[in-house]
């Protein structure tokens, strides 16, 4: 059985392996078992639809963290031309967990930045498992200012379990770095598109998560705390992550219902890793469409709308302005309907 | 001036009353840090700072207001906001009810306006006694309105963190979104060239510290206050080893350039007043209206 | 003999000691030696004028480095009211070699910053002997931005042997910090007054040395390299510092002649340490006078003049624009005349 | 495209000729770093990079121009500026005369304008072969004019440092003042939203590195180039102990966030062109005219 198969994917994987085996035998033995194969393929298709069309929050979490999931640099390379990575915060370091540079989509020059996880153990360590340090957030902001200077839009790709919380991170002001980024991103005079492509891990995510449009891949998650951490706090049992994942409403569809994201970008059945190219094409299409819309908006209006977009998040019951908040249909994450 | 500041309050302080019950005899209580038995009236005259070791006892949000603002100048705003419990989080409403009872607050923040040495300000305080002062939709909304009100009026704003809980887990992503929301308000305030003073008290951590807690033009902290991104539990899980002895304290942050001053409680009010005077007179017109005021 | 007497001051100090001894004997023996004292006092006065009125560049260097010379915090306390020191670069550290904060002179709120040396060995170490680190330059810039935000002028007090050149300084980008400060000080929309109060040590000095007016205390020095370093390079002999000091044209009067400084602030005979209060009063008067002038200038004009002020430094021979540079009477440091 | 770049030059390169005399046989020369004997025509085709160890041989200022600009596009400006020797520094004029003879330059910089893949730029290069490429009044004036000319025309500017000597001691305070002067020009260029690319070659240090050498929107460096504030002598005097093995190299600076890329010589021109295209099209009007563009 191939590695990197998630638990809920196993029935499908077993059938797929069975079909592959029959096909192999067919080739070896020369017997025509096309009918059997067709039957099994219909079965696997049904199974796929059944299992993958009805994923739990924990399933989404697993897909979002899938070791074969495309990472920021994969998307950048597939979506953009002429990418030139730029490094360094010009202060103290160059953070491997945050990448960025100039790129081009069609005729549009832009700056793209995002957290980057690693494929193998060496790259993972070098990338700090996608947990950006203060140097990373400051590099990202420096590159956004470069975009602003030349009137280029910014695309941020969010994929981090959390911001780095090492001693070194505290020493270099990880809090300051995240806060400063958010503040200055509200003042940046060029369009910003944020896409949560994998894990939207709390403060680590929002440190590059302010924008005019927030997109989210279908199986990405966006959460205030990892489900395991939540379970550890609630039930002193990190193993109850699946329950916590459900409770935290961390799926793209909840985020859409809350108004936290504006659009869910569909993934291939089973997740982005099943067809990386198709996922990148879908994301690229969405980014281009929103860039087109945003580029037509005068800068003052752009900044006002960016402000209002976040200003209305988290409605509350205000008895002195009765009815106002409760009328907002997007309040309740439980009422979420799939976007597509 | 700071003497007798408890007596200035007009409403009974339910938080203080509630806590007073925990103290065995009422008139004497041990210092949390050095265990010295302290005479309560004397301790209160000393702004709840241990006269022996300098330990700063926690203050309720209302006590903070009394400490900072001119007597009787405080007008509370946005008092009755309540969460919509967007995640229907298990036992959350019960816990809220409990802390409402204990603190006399609807949620973890108290906000409003008042004056400091006659200079008008808006002010918000998070109360560590209410679910660790964590930021949910209500607290985020209150901070945001407090900042917006100051921006609209051309005033300074004072934000006091007693938020050890960071962004409140029980409201999930919507708590997290209070980080950019409050930062947005402070971005506008900044672009409008208005002063924001942040005061960090014990404890100030997580999502609060990674948003408005780090966005003051000037950031002050009380001595010994825990100030950090990750709580000790998270840090431990992340394998943080051999931190320096004062790791995650105000003093540590100060050494690493994150704070303007570690400011004993007795000096807070004067320091704030000094900063307000620095920023009080309108800037000359030629210098106004930066589209971007970065860093 | 009291400590901290410079070599060239010794004849004066000897006479002063002699007078003091006679006065002591007078008190003990009850004999009137007033005439003798008057004579000696006239002698010492003459000697003072002779020696202190005709100092070599090396003498100036010694006075500028005098261990009793007032430092930045002394001037700040004597010149300003309501000083509130503010700390930290909000990035990585708080540099003891660079101090700064908000202060008031009369009704004028302002930001003041400067390098700070230490009096005793412990403070000297804590202050890194006045050699600011990247964190110091970034703190200074942060405070200048605070001034800019609220439309307050900035006063920079320069007193440093050099910027820090430790491994840590290179790691945190000492070059970037100095360069960035200079660039942004040219864009700062509030008046900046720089005063060289002691040692104006090369890049370390110019990192907070850009302004609308550059003042210099009479015995301060401003040099591209310490004389000892220059001697080491030229003659492989650091002991020939006195010659190098002369060759480097590092006195206030040369700096004035070059157009590098706009005004020399007089010190008491023998140096600022002879009367700290009087020196601070003189500097305060000069600062206030220039602040008054500058506050009347519209900001666009202010920035243009700041640019032009530095733009013309270092005229060259340009055959294609003949005569232009050579006509500038301020070119030649040797022709310097005392300013008062 | 990079092949045959030496042949593009129209004027004879006196620097290269002068240096060629140092090479024993002419056709073969040893690599400075790995001692491999290299066939000179091959080495030149390889842009003077050792094919064995990757060592980047020094280039003269004119060779730099050939490397970066489109063939025959370079127009030199400010050619004949000369210092007024403001300090009458001992033996200074003699040394200048010597280096003029050796390099064919009037002073340590060469500047002018040209195109990179058709995009117009101004460009200045300091030549490490002339008094260590140190910055005096002439170099400062040339850099300043180069930047100003780009700002005036709305072009990008490219500044190439081969300045191991920092600010030139022999012109004292007036050399030092070229740091703020060039920084002022770059401040204006920045405020006008124009691109500045800095390329650091071996060596780039001291007052140059602490002014225009650090003020590029993008900063590139050749592999192995020494880039630092203090020369090794100064560092030694200051008691610097146990520096890392790559201390004060481009790679060290890169690791510490000071450089955008360490860029092999062969990639420099394409990288520059890429950056120019990013910044080339005029920004849309709503985004123009920042009074302050900080960091
Ligand atoms: Zn105590
Ligand atoms: Zn080699």
């Amino acid at each position: 059985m191939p590695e990197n198969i998630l638990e809920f994917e196993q029935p499908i994987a077993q059938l797929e392996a069975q079909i592959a085996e029959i096909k192999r035998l067919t080739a070896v033995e020369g017997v025509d078992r096309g009918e059997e194969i067709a039957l099994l393929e219909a079965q696997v298709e049904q199974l796929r639809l059944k299992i993958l069309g009805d994923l739990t929050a924990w399933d989404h979490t697993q897909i979002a963290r899938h070791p074969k999931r495309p990472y920021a640099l994969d998307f950048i390379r597939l979506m953009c031309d002429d990418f030139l990575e730029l490094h360094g915060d010009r202060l103290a370091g160059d953070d491997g967990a945050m990448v960025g540079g100039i790129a081009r989509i069609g005729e549009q020059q832009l700056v793209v930045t995002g957290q980057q996880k690693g494929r193998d153990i060496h790259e993972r360590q070098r990338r700090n498992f996608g947990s950006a340090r203060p140097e990373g957030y400051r590099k990202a902001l420096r590159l956004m200012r470069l975009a602003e200077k030349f009137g280029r839009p910014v695309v941020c790709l969010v994929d981090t379990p959390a911001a780095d919380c090492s001693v070194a991170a505290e020493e270099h002001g990880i809090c300051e770095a995240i806060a400063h980024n958010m503040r200055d991103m509200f003042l940046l005079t060029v369009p910003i598109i944020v896409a949560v492509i994998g894990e939207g891990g709390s403060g680590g995510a929002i440190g590059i998560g302010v924008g005019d449009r927030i997109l989210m891949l279908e199986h990405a998650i966006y959460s205030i705390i990892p489900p395991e951490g939540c379970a550890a706090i609630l039930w002193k049992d990190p193993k109850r992550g699946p329950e916590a994942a459900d409770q935290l409403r961390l799926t793209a569809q909840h985020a859409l219902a809350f108004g936290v994201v504006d659009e869910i970008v569909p993934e291939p059945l089973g997740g982005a890793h099943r067809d990386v190219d198709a996922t990148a094409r879908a994301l690229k299409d969405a980014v281009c469409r929103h860039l087109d819309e945003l580029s037509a908006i005068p800068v003052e209006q752009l900044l006002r709308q960016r402000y209002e977009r976040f200003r209305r998040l988290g409605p509350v019951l205000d008895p002195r302005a009765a009815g106002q908040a409760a009328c907002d249909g997007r309040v309740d994450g439980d009422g979420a309907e799939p976007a597509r | 001036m700071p003497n007798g500041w408890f007596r200035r309050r007009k409403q009974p302080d339910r938080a203080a009353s509630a806590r007073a019950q925990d103290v065995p005899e009422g008139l004497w209580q041990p210092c949390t840090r050095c265990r010295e038995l302290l005479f309560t009236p004397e301790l209160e005259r000393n702004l709840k700072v241990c006269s022996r070791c300098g330990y700063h006892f926690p203050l309720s949000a209302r006590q903070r207001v009394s400490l900072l603002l001119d007597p009787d100048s405080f007008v509370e705003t946005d008092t009755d906001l309540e969460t919509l419990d967007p995640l229907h989080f298990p036992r959350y409403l019960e816990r809220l009810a409990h802390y409402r009872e204990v603190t006399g607050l609807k949620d973890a923040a108290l906000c409003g306006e008042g004056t400091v040495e006659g200079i008008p300000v808006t002010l918000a305080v998070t109360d560590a006694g209410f679910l660790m002062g964590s930021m949910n939709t209500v607290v985020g909304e209150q901070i945001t309105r407090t900042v917006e009100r100051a921006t609209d009026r051309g005033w300074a704003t004072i934000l006091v963190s007693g938020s050890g809980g960071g962004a409140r887990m029980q409201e999930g992503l919507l708590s997290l979104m209070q980080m950019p929301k409050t930062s947005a308000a402070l971005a506008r305030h900044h672009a409008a060239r208005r002063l924001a003073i942040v005061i960090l008290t014990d404890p100030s951590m997580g999502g609060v510290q990674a948003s408005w807690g780090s966005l003051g033009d000037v950031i002050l902290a009380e001595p010994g206050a825990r100030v950090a991104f990750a709580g000790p539990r998270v840090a431990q899980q992340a394998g943080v080893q051999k931190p320096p002895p004062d790791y995650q304290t105000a003093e540590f942050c100060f050494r690493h350039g994150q704070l303007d001053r570690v400011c004993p409680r007795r000096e807070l009010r004067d320091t704030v007043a000094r900063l307000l005077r620095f920023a009080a007179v309108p800037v000359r017109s030629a210098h106004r209206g930066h589209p971007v005021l970065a860093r």
Side-chain angles (χ1 to χ4, degrees), chain B residues 189-196 214-220 254-261 271 274-275 277-284 286-287 290 293-295:
Chain B
H189 193 68
H190 180 59
R193 299 174 161 266
R194 296 301 162 190
L195 180 69
S214 289
L215 291 177
D217 293 294
V218 175
I219 305 179
L220 310 172
F254 178 80
R255 233 171 345 108
H256 290 286
Q258 306 301 315
L259 303 177
D260 287 89
R261 295 179 74 87
T271 304
R274 175 70 194 89
L275 292 165
R277 285 195 299 274
F278 174 78
V281 183
V283 296
R284 55 176 179 153
H287 295 153
H290 267 238
L293 260 174
R295 190 178 294 272

Side-chain angles (χ1 to χ4, degrees), chain A residues 281-301:
Chain A
R281 266 198 310 277
L283 183 57
K284 178 177 176 175
D285 287 349
V287 165
C288 288
R289 179 161 35 80
H290 287 289
L291 277 183
D292 277 353
E293 282 177 36
L294 294 170
S295 68
I297 303 175
V299 66
E300 295 77 11
Q301 189 184 337

Side-chain angles (χ1 to χ4, degrees), chain B residues 32-105:
Chain B
T32 310
R33 190 201 285 157
C34 76
R35 313 312 301 164
E36 176 90 349
L37 266 189
L38 301 166
F39 185 53
T40 299
E42 175 66 29
L43 179 62
E44 302 222 334
R45 266 195 299 279
N46 204 25
L47 308 178
K48 301 202 91 175
V49 175
C50 171
S51 52
R52 183 161 174 247
C53 76
Y55 174 71
H56 283 53
F57 283 76
L59 295 184
S60 72
R62 289 199 191 281
Q63 288 171 330
R64 280 283 160 202
V65 170
S66 299
L67 176 75
L68 290 170
L69 296 190
D70 294 335
D72 300 331
S73 75
F74 182 59
V75 178
E76 191 175 337
T77 57
D78 311 306
T79 313
D80 300 321
L81 307 190
E82 274 183 59
T83 179
L84 293 163
D85 187 15
L87 266 51
H88 304 325
F89 208 87
R91 285 180 305 287
Y92 180 41
L93 294 178
E94 292 165 41
R95 298 193 71 193
L96 288 177
H98 168 73
Y99 284 107
R100 282 177 188 151
E101 185 61 33
V102 169
T103 64
L105 297 169

